[in-house]
Amino acid sequence: MLIVVVPVYGLQLGASPLVLGAVLSAQYLLPLALAIPLGGVVSRFGGRATLITGASLMVAGLLAMHFWPGFGGLVLGQLLVGLAHLQMVLAAQTIIANLGTGPRLEKYFGWYSTWLSGGQVIGPLLAGLLLNASGTAYVFLVMAAFALVAGLVGLWLTGQATERIQVTRKQAGFRAQWALMQSNRGVQLSVLVTVLGMFALGVYGSYLPVYLESLAISPVIIGVLVSLRAVVSMVIRPFMASIIQLAGGRVNTVFLSLVTVSAGIAFLGATEQVVVMGLLAVLVGIGSGLTQPLSMVILAESVDRAKRSGALGMRLMANRAIHFLAPLMFGLLLELGGFALAFGASGVAIAAALPIGRKLFKP
């Protein structure tokens, strides 16, 4: 829901493209610094405790946006929500990563990301309806209620979700993750895929609502177009294992997916037709639907269990770093040359990195 609400709310407050980029990037500032340390926290205290704490923090951030109108509350809320989301995602991914290997793990991460996409489908649609009906009067309270429910559901997690692993700083700290990044080919591939895929999603999610708002398109249609990408991702993810076989392996699937994402982003700012933008959203949905769960599977199978939370934290740090930088870079391009240049350059940047990745990671 925030993916629609924050850009629209920022525009209502009179934010310029560059200021809006800074507001959107604020959500990823704390995760950028704390992702790796939180990996150790998940190992030491267990996934359930970390997830419940994250849900509580998310409620606090959303209430800050509601009760403190203006940029102050918006930025504070973005900071808290960003940290909360990191905790919840890292806890969930660690729990799932410990459940299996091979096709079984592909299946588990496929279904995990399918349910995530389900939320990304319903959220923007609901946000669009609420904005259309009552503006921003109640939308943050509704989101806080959903976060509260997530925390309460977390109380029922059992089994491996409650297990604690004693890890040292040597195993989970920054130096350990940097050494892992330098030496482990699977971790390198996972981080590369994460950076490229998240750059595309950061640009798409942060500025598609702004672009549509500039075309005087209604909030409901904005919600539909943002949700369409998530619908496609949700539909394709349960078939991930079969697609990998047809493509000739995980690496081939990853690069074909990134080509699809690149094409969808590059041409998005060149049209004002809703139908064409819908087709481009489908391309982005297909590519992003496969790249993110695949990057998690590749990383989970590349490290042993004691190092897994820290490695997932490093992947999420790269994820949040590009989420932090993408809106700022896109906002600067938007100031210089408009939406056509900004979307086009973003798609070209993703495509330009693919030959490097193909050379480094031949299947």
Side-chain angles (χ1 to χ4, degrees):
M1 295 177 73
L2 279 173
I3 201 172
V4 172
V5 174
V6 170
V8 172
Y9 184 40
L11 289 175
Q12 291 176 356
L13 294 175
S16 69
L18 199 56
V19 170
L20 184 59
V23 170
L24 293 169
S25 294
Q27 186 178 139
Y28 309 105
L29 185 60
L30 292 179
L32 179 60
L34 298 176
I36 288 177
L38 278 174
V41 170
V42 174
S43 295
R44 294 185 187 97
F45 295 96
R48 184 178 71 173
T50 312
L51 190 148
I52 293 170
T53 303
S56 302
L57 196 59
M58 185 168 288
V59 171
L62 292 165
L63 291 179
M65 294 184 193
H66 177 78
F67 289 109
W68 186 5
F71 283 112
L74 184 59
V75 172
L76 175 61
Q78 283 281 85
L79 290 170
L80 293 177
V81 166
L83 183 58
H85 187 259
L86 171 68
Q87 289 183 247
M88 297 176 76
V89 169
L90 185 54
Q93 290 181 6
T94 300
I95 293 169
I96 294 167
N98 293 331
L99 294 178
T101 59
R104 185 180 181 187
L105 188 60
E106 291 172 358
K107 179 181 177 181
Y108 288 156
F109 269 117
W111 280 110
Y112 162 74
S113 52
T114 297
W115 284 103
L116 284 183
S117 293
Q120 292 168 352
V121 171
I122 297 170
L125 290 174
L126 181 57
L129 291 172
L130 287 170
L131 289 171
N132 204 45
S134 58
T136 57
Y138 303 107
V139 67
F140 294 116
L141 289 178
V142 172
M143 286 187 278
F146 281 123
L148 180 61
V149 170
L152 294 174
V153 170
L155 294 172
W156 274 267
L157 290 172
T158 59
Q160 290 190 5
T162 62
E163 290 182 2
R164 301 183 180 189
I165 301 175
Q166 294 300 318
V167 294
T168 64
R169 181 175 295 182
K170 185 177 180 181
Q171 291 175 301
F174 283 96
R175 288 185 179 179
Q177 302 315 316
W178 177 244
L180 195 63
M181 179 67 182
Q182 289 179 306
S183 61
N184 191 305
R185 183 171 176 264
V187 172
Q188 292 169 356
L189 179 56
S190 176
V191 171
L192 173 69
V193 173
T194 296
V195 167
L196 295 178
M198 284 299 104
F199 178 78
L201 289 182
V203 166
Y204 181 90
S206 297
Y207 278 98
L208 179 63
V210 179
Y211 180 44
L212 297 174
E213 177 84 6
S214 73
L215 299 177
I217 293 175
S218 72
V220 173
I221 299 300
I222 293 175
V224 169
L225 285 173
V226 172
S227 293
L228 180 59
R229 193 277 311 166
V231 168
V232 175
S233 294
M234 180 177 67
V235 170
I236 201 170
R237 280 169 173 167
F239 306 101
M240 185 172 70
S242 299
I243 293 171
I244 290 170
Q245 287 184 333
L246 290 173
R250 291 176 183 170
V251 176
N252 283 343
T253 306
V254 163
F255 284 98
L256 288 172
S257 300
L258 289 172
V259 168
T260 306
V261 168
S262 173
I265 292 292
F267 296 104
L268 198 56
T271 180
E272 297 183 1
Q273 300 298 316
V274 172
V275 173
V276 176
M277 285 189 282
L279 294 174
L280 294 172
V282 169
L283 291 180
V284 176
I286 292 171
S288 62
L290 295 172
T291 53
Q292 295 315 300
L294 269 173
S295 70
M296 290 184 276
V297 171
I298 291 168
L299 186 142
E301 290 196 337
S302 300
V303 297
D304 58 46
R305 185 173 181 180
K307 298 178 181 178
R308 200 164 285 157
S309 292
L312 286 167
M314 178 173 60
R315 176 189 170 274
L316 285 172
M317 185 180 74
N319 178 310
R320 296 318 191 249
I322 202 65
H323 264 305
F324 176 76
L325 293 173
L328 293 176
M329 293 187 291
F330 192 93
L332 180 60
L333 288 171
L334 186 57
E335 290 269 10
L336 294 174
F339 284 102
L341 172 65
F343 279 116
S346 299
V348 169
I350 296 167
L354 295 181
I356 300 172
R358 174 63 74 179
K359 183 178 179 180
L360 289 173
F361 306 109
K362 292 181 180 180

